[in-house]
Amino acid sequence: MKKKEKTTILSRMSAGLGLQATSRRIVIVAAMAIIAITSAKAQRIEVVDTEGHAIPLVSVLTNDGTLLGTTDMNGILADVKGAKEVAVTHVAYKPQQVNVASLPGGRITMESLDYSIAEIVVKPKPYIYVQTYYRFYAFINDSLRFYQAGIMPNAYNVQKKKVEMGSHNNSYGDFYPSMGVGITWGARVMEFHAGRIHKSSAKFLNDSVQYYFTTLTDEGNGRRRVDNPEGTMGYIVNEGGMISTTVDAGKLQMYRNKALGQDKKLKKREEMEYAYQYTDVFMVDENGNCGIEDMVMDTNHWEWTKSKGRYKMIIEAYTVDRGYMDKAEWKAKKKELKQEYKSVLSLNQLETYATKHNIPALAPSIRQAIERLGKK
């Protein structure tokens, strides 16, 4: 139907209702607005791996570094908000820059990084050493406000069952507009990750199943589905010598609050529209076992609403070194790293380090957004 014909029909309708000219114009404008709104459709994208399996927690960004959102447990982002080109990134897959209009059925296929860490010989030493390279992003209302990257040396004392950290201020590099903010967030990221490595993937899963009232269902081909009484909460995939776990931890936590009658905690999380998801990837042996020292990479996504808007925090971490040490070797390692990284690294130095360790480069849109942060 042509525009003129639409206007004529609407005019007749308003005349039939006995409306005056001004009222008719209001009806026409309102009706045209409704037509425009209903004709605009949300642009949905679906992200899958080369086997066609959904990839949750894929960050989708515009060319200026605005975070459009992350894919859900079915690998879907419901709307790219009119963006013509987007960057898609995930800790375990090769990043891509894609033209939305050219996507067949809105589907994006991502290739695995084929990222691996060297084999190590098991030795009866009291410390398990895991050194990672991390990236931390903070968004407010989908705009990047803070970025930090660097090196995290952590060791787990098997005898004392305690995590020991390297020197935070000297053994990491970062890039940020504020030194105070950088030190605060850097410390929080390192403490979080240090706590993360103290359990093997298998132990973490077994504890979580009971703690969060979940069940595991075998779907075949090394895939298990994580469910709770409210539905599917994630997947555990064991293939290619790796085991990856992706779960909607926020929903699990809130269901636990509900099941235990923790009404205040639940209400607070509901009010702030709390969300938290993560993916962990560990190496596994021929029997499917993995230990603390076998962590390959992980990513964690948090979201909540505060007075300034919607906050979104993303952490990515890749293992770059690992081994078994005694106390003297651990002290020597900390000293070595302190000397090697005694000054804050530039963004270029951080990217050189990442390339050296086969860690994927930042998406161009994110890198540009980071560079703009440094100019503020």
Side-chain angles (χ1 to χ4, degrees), residues 209-226:
V209 167
Q210 183 176 1
Y211 189 76
Y212 289 121
F213 308 99
T214 58
T215 58
L216 302 181
T217 303
D218 191 350
E219 294 191 330
N221 298 320
R223 291 175 64 85
R224 286 183 290 171
R225 192 178 69 248
V226 181

Side-chain angles (χ1 to χ4, degrees), residues 226-244:
V226 181
D227 296 304
N228 77 358
E230 294 188 345
T232 297
M233 296 290 139
Y235 294 91
I236 302 165
V237 181
N238 188 343
E239 63 181 359
M242 302 279 184
I243 183 169
S244 63

Side-chain angles (χ1 to χ4, degrees), residues 105-280:
R107 174 174 278 206
I108 300 171
T109 301
M110 297 188 77
E111 295 181 22
S112 173
L113 273 178
D114 294 325
Y115 180 84
S116 61
I117 50 179
E119 293 289 344
I120 55 174
V121 178
V122 177
K123 295 180 179 179
K125 293 189 176 182
Y127 287 87
I128 297 173
Y129 178 69
V130 179
Q131 180 181 316
T132 61
Y133 178 78
Y134 73 93
R135 290 170 173 158
F136 171 71
Y137 313 83
F139 297 85
I140 301 178
N141 295 327
D142 300 326
S143 176
L144 184 67
R145 300 297 181 88
F146 178 74
Y147 173 77
Q148 182 165 306
I151 302 154
M152 288 189 292
N154 293 311
Y156 180 68
N157 188 325
V158 178
Q159 296 173 344
K160 294 184 178 180
K161 297 182 179 180
K162 181 180 178 183
V163 175
E164 296 184 17
M165 296 166 56
S167 174
H168 166 67
N169 289 324
N170 295 297
S171 62
Y172 85 106
D174 59 13
F175 185 85
Y176 49 82
S178 165
M179 177 64 80
V181 171
I183 291 174
T184 300
W185 272 112
R188 288 184 66 177
V189 170
M190 289 185 73
E191 287 167 7
F192 169 80
H193 200 268
R196 195 78 168 181
I197 71 164
H198 81 284
K199 288 184 178 181
S200 70
S201 178
K203 180 170 175 53
F204 185 79
L205 284 175
N206 290 335
D207 289 353
S208 296
V209 167
Q210 183 176 1
Y211 189 76
Y212 289 121
F213 308 99
T214 58
T215 58
L216 302 181
T217 303
D218 191 350
E219 294 191 330
N221 298 320
R223 291 175 64 85
R224 286 183 290 171
R225 192 178 69 248
V226 181
D227 296 304
N228 77 358
E230 294 188 345
T232 297
M233 296 290 139
Y235 294 91
I236 302 165
V237 181
N238 188 343
E239 63 181 359
M242 302 279 184
I243 183 169
S244 63
T245 303
T246 301
V247 297
D248 192 328
K251 287 184 178 178
L252 292 179
Q253 290 168 342
M254 292 172 75
Y255 179 79
R256 185 175 189 274
N257 294 151
K258 185 190 299 184
L260 297 179
Q262 298 171 340
D263 297 336
K264 288 185 178 179
K265 286 186 178 181
L266 178 61
K267 183 179 179 182
K268 184 177 180 180
R269 282 176 165 154
E270 288 175 338
E271 288 175 348
M272 65 195 300
E273 298 175 281
Y274 170 75
Y276 169 44
Q277 301 88 26
Y278 70 82
T279 293
D280 285 334

